[in-house]
């Protein structure tokens, strides 16, 4: 069977964004974060359209290979979007976007989403997104703008590292001297940082100052001189690569209204906001009305005594600081980028659906590989390897047609599933031996994903009353001829019906990993199992010798219709959460030659090693004891 079976064509997305030392870097930062989310979570390759390509590329990490198209003043945006064959242009820039610009793109069949823009284009755009919609709705309402077009969810697009650091925060120990984080944005063209440092002179509480500036800050030497005069310990950091970790280690922050404030709120850092203009003051006041920050005032109107009193109060009264932290955490949860990305996916990726971790429900994973365009990731909470992007159920029907069973068997090397009958029967009898150790009396047995009926054939010969299901009409018709006494249905676990507590044993061999919704399927199978009945699962082992030592080979041969890779730990947790008690597990698919591959041995040395008398048996015992097989078999009994 081939391992690339499900065609996946990612949506074509353009990101229109500008940023520089004078325009601010927040727009670039958040759209670059969104591009990474789309790449890592969905396998998309968004293209950037910008007037400031140098600024954008300066923010790229080594793994960022996004295409960047420069847009000059005289260039036709519509012509470039047509050339790129875009499905959507997500437009994020400071300058107001006119409704005529949006309509011109829409007339070419290109959807237009506006992010953070207050031009007349919001009246006609396909979607209108803002980082802080509760603030914008308040401001837009004053101007009688089309409030109904604003998507209501919080959509601050933050690097996922902030969300992970936020989850680690409860274990952090505060330093004996509180740390004040001072950052007025990546550009700070008005040099507000210097003004804030002036205001801090003479403060009477012990604090350590962590001052962060961007690479484009114009007078770093003057700023360092001012910090030296404060008499407090300080660090002056320029564009630190671990910005989030630096901020997370602080107790209190002074910043401006914007991306940095959202990051600090997500981390749970008590934040004071200094406005750099009357407009920003207005925005900051409404943002702070929900408790996410405290506004100190306009930078040019601040009085030193008031700033000192506020900081000293928060340092001396940890309870007040904690209340401010909690307000920030309630305002920004770090999931805004995930929401925007998911909204994009659901709007433009037809024939596929999104899934969380099947074991624990988390949506946070580390991408391990890309299989036929779709990522497979490891859950950061429970360790399950799973596909986040899965085909819709009807998309799978074509995969399991007759040629699925007629195709060559990649593992055993035979010409087809039918030709692999002796090997399948060998495993079938091994499964039945294991079941009969748990259930000496034979009863009703169901084979889920019965394929051509070889497991049913073996069970019927041993005296079981057999039933089977498979979604392939070809397979079920073949099995009917093979095992005429079997009760067979065409369908899936989701679509067929059996009485509750009907079966004594259920076998699901090399099928569970194919389920689009394994938890629901597990619940259904468990409901069909009598109390004390046995469920046997065989799945590819996401922890065998190939996975552990040659992961590139594992993923290179990984079928794109295997949606989860289980280990004894993740599968046991899954089964136990649905009322099943694991009574035994072991691994199969143990081959000495794969261990030689894992050691990186050349063929001649591997052949010499494998020729040693008795070594194969000794390795098999070692591999079984250490779960090194590439397939995992679990026997579980129903507790209800």
């Amino acid at each position: 069977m081939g391992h690339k079976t499900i065609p996946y064509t990612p949506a074509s997305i353009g990101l229109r964004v500008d940023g520089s030392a004078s325009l601010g870097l927040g727009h670039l930062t958040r759209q670059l974060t969104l591009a990474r989310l789309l790449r890592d979570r969905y396998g998309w390759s968004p293209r950037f359209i910008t007037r400031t390509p140098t600024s954008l590329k300066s923010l790229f990490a080594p793994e960022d290979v996004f295409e960047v198209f420069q847009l000059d003043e005289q260039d036709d945006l519509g012509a470039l979007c047509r050339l790129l064959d875009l499905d959507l242009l997500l437009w994020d820039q400071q300058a107001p976007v006119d409704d005529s610009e949006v309509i011109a793109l829409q007339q070419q069949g290109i959807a237009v989403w506006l992010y953070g823009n207050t031009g007349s284009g919001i009246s006609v755009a396909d979607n209108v997104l803002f980082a802080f919609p509760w603030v914008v709705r308040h401001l837009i309402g004053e101007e009688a703008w089309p409030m109904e077009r604003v998507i209501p969810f919080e959509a601050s697009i933050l690097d996922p590292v902030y969300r992970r650091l936020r989850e680690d925060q409860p274990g952090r120990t505060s330093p004996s001297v509180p740390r004040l984080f001072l950052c007025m944005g990546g550009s700070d063209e008005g040099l507000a940082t210097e003004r804030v440092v002036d205001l801090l002179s003479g403060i009477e509480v012990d604090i350590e100052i962590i001052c962060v500036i961007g690479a484009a800050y114009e007078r770093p030497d003057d700023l360092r001189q001012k910090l030296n005069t404060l008499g407090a310990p300080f660090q002056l950091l320029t564009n630190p690569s671990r910005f989030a970790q630096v901020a997370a280690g602080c107790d209190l922050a002074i910043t401006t209204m914007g991306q940095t404030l959202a990051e600090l709120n997500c981390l749970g850092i008590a934040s004071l906001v200094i406005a750099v203009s009357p407009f920003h003051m207005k925005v900051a006041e409404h943002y702070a009305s929900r408790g996410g920050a405290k506004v100190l005032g306009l930078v040019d109107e601040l009085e030193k005594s008031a700033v000192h009193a506020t900081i000293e109060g928060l340092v001396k009264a940890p309870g007040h600081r904690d209340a401010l932290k909690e307000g920030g955490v309630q305002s920004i949860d770090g999931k805004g980028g995930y929401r925007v990305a998911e909204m994009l996916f659901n709007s433009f990726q037809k024939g596929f659906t999104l899934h969380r971790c099947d074991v624990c429900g988390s949506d946070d994973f580390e991408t391990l590989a890309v299989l036929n365009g779709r990522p497979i990731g490891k859950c950061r909470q429970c360790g399950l390897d799973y596909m986040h992007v899965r085909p819709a159920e009807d998309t799978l029907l074509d995969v399991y047609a007759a040629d699925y069973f007629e195709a060559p068997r990649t593992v055993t090397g035979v010409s087809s599933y039918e030709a692999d009958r002796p090997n399948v029967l060998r495993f079938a009898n091994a499964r039945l031996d294991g079941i009969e150790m748990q259930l000496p009396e034979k009863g009703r047995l169901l084979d889920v994903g019965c394929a051509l009926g070889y497991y049913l054939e073996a069970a019927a010969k041993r005296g079981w009353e057999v039933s089977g299901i498979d979604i392939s009409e070809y397979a079920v018709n073949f099995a009917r001829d093979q095992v005429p006494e079997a009760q067979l249905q065409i369908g899936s676990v989701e679509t067929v019906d059996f009485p509750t507590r009907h079966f004594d044993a259920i076998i699901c061999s090399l099928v569970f990993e194919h389920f689009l919704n394994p938890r629901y399927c597990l619940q259904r199978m468990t409901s069909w199992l009598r109390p004390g009945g046995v469920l046997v699962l065989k799945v590819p082992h996401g922890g065998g010798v190939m996975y552990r030592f040659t992961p590139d080979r594992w993923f290179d041969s990984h079928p794109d219709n295997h949606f989860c890779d289980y280990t004894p730990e993740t599968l046991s947790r899954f089964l136990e959460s649905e009322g099943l008690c694991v009574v035994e597990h072991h691994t199969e698919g143990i081959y000495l030659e794969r261990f030689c591959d894992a050691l990186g041995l050349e063929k001649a040395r591997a052949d010499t090693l494998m020729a040693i008398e008795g070594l194969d048996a000794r390795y098999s015992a070692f591999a079984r004891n250490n779960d090194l097989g590439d397939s995992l078999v679990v026997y579980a009994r129903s507790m209800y």
Side-chain angles (χ1 to χ4, degrees):
M1 290 175 287
H3 64 275
K4 293 183 178 179
T5 57
I6 305 169
Y8 179 70
T9 303
S12 180
I13 304 297
L15 302 177
R16 171 73 185 92
V17 60
D18 297 329
S20 64
S22 59
L23 294 173
L25 302 175
H27 296 265
L28 296 179
T29 300
R30 66 189 177 205
Q31 291 309 306
L32 181 54
T33 296
L34 178 60
R36 290 167 178 159
L37 286 173
L38 295 173
R39 175 196 64 198
D40 296 341
R41 296 179 74 78
Y42 311 142
W44 288 10
S45 300
R47 278 80 67 86
F48 286 94
I49 300 173
T50 180
R51 298 191 193 281
T52 57
T54 302
S55 295
L56 173 62
K57 291 178 180 178
S58 72
L59 300 176
F60 278 14
E63 66 272 17
D64 292 330
V65 289
F66 302 110
E67 290 185 282
V68 178
F69 296 88
Q70 183 168 349
L71 188 71
D72 295 324
E73 288 289 344
Q74 70 276 10
D75 290 339
D76 183 344
L77 175 60
L80 178 55
C81 291
R82 283 196 307 274
L83 179 66
L84 299 177
D85 194 23
L86 296 184
D87 298 312
L88 162 79
L89 182 70
L90 192 151
W91 203 327
D92 178 2
Q93 64 175 52
Q94 281 188 353
V97 176
D98 188 83
D99 55 2
S100 63
E101 297 176 280
V102 174
I103 292 170
L105 292 169
Q106 292 171 329
Q107 288 175 341
Q108 299 175 33
I110 301 166
V112 179
W113 290 19
L114 296 183
Y115 186 100
N117 197 279
T118 56
S120 62
I122 68 170
S123 63
V124 294
D126 295 277
N127 265 313
V128 180
L129 294 161
F130 289 91
F132 318 124
W134 68 92
V135 176
V136 175
R137 282 177 171 268
H138 173 76
L139 298 175
I140 286 179
E142 294 180 1
E143 303 294 335
W145 287 352
M147 290 170 54
E148 72 280 358
R149 301 197 65 81
V150 177
I151 303 300
F153 60 69
E154 180 260 297
S156 60
I157 303 174
L158 308 184
D159 189 303
V161 69
Y162 289 95
R163 183 179 170 190
R164 292 195 285 272
L165 286 169
R166 166 202 188 100
E167 293 166 355
D168 294 339
Q169 280 293 93
R172 187 177 77 87
T173 302
S174 294
S176 55
V177 176
R179 291 178 182 151
L180 173 65
F181 184 78
L182 173 58
C183 180
M184 305 302 286
S187 53
D188 190 12
E189 63 271 20
L191 299 176
T193 307
E194 288 190 18
R195 173 66 175 139
V196 174
V197 171
D198 287 335
L199 291 167
L200 291 175
S201 65
I203 196 165
E204 295 183 356
V205 290
D206 290 334
I207 56 173
E208 179 184 353
I209 298 172
I210 311 296
C211 184
V212 176
I213 56 176
Y217 192 87
E218 291 183 0
R219 302 191 322 200
D221 293 338
D222 291 351
L223 178 60
R224 182 175 293 278
Q225 274 191 329
K226 288 178 180 289
L227 286 165
N228 271 318
T229 65
L230 293 180
F234 73 88
Q235 297 179 55
L236 177 58
L237 306 176
T238 301
N239 200 28
S241 59
R242 292 173 59 83
F243 179 93
Q245 290 80 357
V246 171
C250 295
D251 305 278
L252 182 64
I254 299 178
T255 189
T256 55
M257 186 69 214
Q259 182 85 357
T260 303
L261 177 59
E263 293 165 349
L264 292 167
N265 274 180
C266 181
L267 292 171
I269 308 300
S271 299
L272 304 173
V273 180
I274 290 178
V276 296
S277 72
F279 173 77
H280 284 90
M281 182 70 176
K282 190 176 181 182
V283 173
E285 286 177 336
H286 194 70
Y287 180 91
S289 67
R290 288 178 45 160
K294 181 177 177 61
V295 180
L296 289 174
L298 275 168
V299 65
D300 293 328
E301 298 178 2
L302 290 172
E303 294 184 0
K304 183 182 293 188
S305 59
V307 173
H308 287 197
T310 300
I311 295 174
E312 289 170 3
L314 290 171
V315 170
K316 293 177 180 178
H320 293 167
R321 193 164 71 238
D322 290 341
L324 201 53
K325 290 179 182 180
E326 184 60 27
V329 167
Q330 293 299 320
S331 297
I332 307 295
D333 62 7
K335 300 179 183 180
Y338 290 71
R339 295 188 189 98
V340 174
E342 186 166 331
M343 191 175 178
L344 286 166
F345 182 94
N346 290 332
S347 298
F348 295 96
Q349 192 70 61
K350 306 304 180 185
F352 291 83
T353 57
L354 297 177
H355 293 256
R356 292 172 175 261
C357 173
D358 300 279
V359 172
C360 72
S362 172
D363 65 350
D364 191 13
F365 61 85
E366 174 190 1
T367 298
L368 301 175
V370 177
L371 310 178
N372 201 16
R374 293 180 288 124
I376 186 167
K378 181 177 291 295
C379 177
R380 295 182 187 274
Q381 298 299 314
C382 73
L384 177 72
D385 288 5
Y386 71 101
M387 276 191 182
H388 182 57
V389 177
R390 299 178 191 173
E393 188 167 358
D394 56 358
T395 307
L396 277 182
L397 293 179
D398 291 337
V399 175
Y400 302 110
D403 59 357
Y404 182 85
F405 295 97
E406 294 170 353
R409 307 282 286 167
T410 55
V411 175
T412 54
V414 298
S415 60
S416 68
Y417 193 98
E418 185 176 352
D420 202 27
R421 179 174 176 272
N423 192 52
V424 177
L425 285 173
R426 178 171 61 87
F427 283 118
N429 282 295
R431 293 296 85 77
L432 293 165
D433 287 344
I435 291 172
E436 290 167 8
M437 289 180 64
Q438 303 293 325
L439 301 174
E441 294 186 6
K442 301 175 180 65
R444 299 189 185 101
L445 180 145
L446 171 67
D447 185 6
V448 173
C450 65
L452 303 187
Y454 300 144
Y455 273 68
L456 299 177
E457 177 188 350
K461 287 181 179 178
R462 296 170 71 140
W464 288 87
E465 181 183 333
V466 295
S467 299
I469 62 173
D470 202 287
I471 66 173
S472 168
E473 182 177 359
Y474 167 86
V476 170
N477 288 336
F478 188 101
R480 283 197 176 109
D481 293 336
Q482 192 82 9
V483 194
E485 66 269 39
Q487 299 297 312
L488 295 167
Q489 294 188 53
I490 300 170
S492 64
V493 173
E494 295 95 334
T495 60
V496 302
D497 273 317
F498 293 104
T500 57
R501 303 186 174 191
H502 182 69
F503 292 104
D504 299 279
I506 297 176
I507 295 176
C508 187
S509 181
L510 296 178
V511 175
F512 196 63
E513 67 275 10
H514 291 266
F515 289 156
L516 290 170
N517 189 339
R519 182 168 292 278
Y520 177 69
C521 292
L522 181 59
Q523 290 168 345
R524 295 270 287 170
M525 290 190 294
T526 303
S527 74
W528 300 333
L529 199 61
R530 71 163 175 82
V534 174
L535 171 67
V536 187
L537 297 179
K538 179 177 179 178
V539 293
H541 181 205
V545 67
M546 185 186 291
Y547 182 97
R548 292 190 204 182
F549 297 105
T550 55
D552 289 345
R553 289 186 59 191
W554 169 270
F555 288 117
D556 184 58
S557 61
H558 193 296
D560 65 353
N561 57 355
H562 287 191
F563 304 120
C564 296
D565 291 329
Y566 299 94
T567 63
E569 294 74 23
T570 56
L571 190 52
S572 294
R573 178 176 173 179
F574 200 0
L575 294 171
E576 289 165 3
S577 72
E578 293 298 336
L580 293 154
C581 177
V582 175
V583 293
E584 193 265 329
H585 86 269
H586 65 270
T587 61
E588 296 176 342
I590 295 170
Y591 306 99
L592 179 56
E593 58 267 32
R594 290 186 183 172
F595 185 68
C596 292
D597 285 346
L599 295 177
L601 298 182
E602 296 178 356
K603 186 178 185 306
R605 294 189 64 189
D607 289 345
T608 300
L609 187 65
M610 288 189 289
I612 297 175
E613 184 177 355
L615 182 61
D616 188 74
R618 289 198 294 272
Y619 171 70
S620 294
F622 168 78
R624 282 194 299 272
N625 290 335
N626 291 278
D627 287 336
L628 289 178
D630 288 326
S631 298
L632 170 65
V633 180
V634 172
Y635 293 80
R637 299 194 71 160
S638 173
M639 294 187 285
Y640 305 109

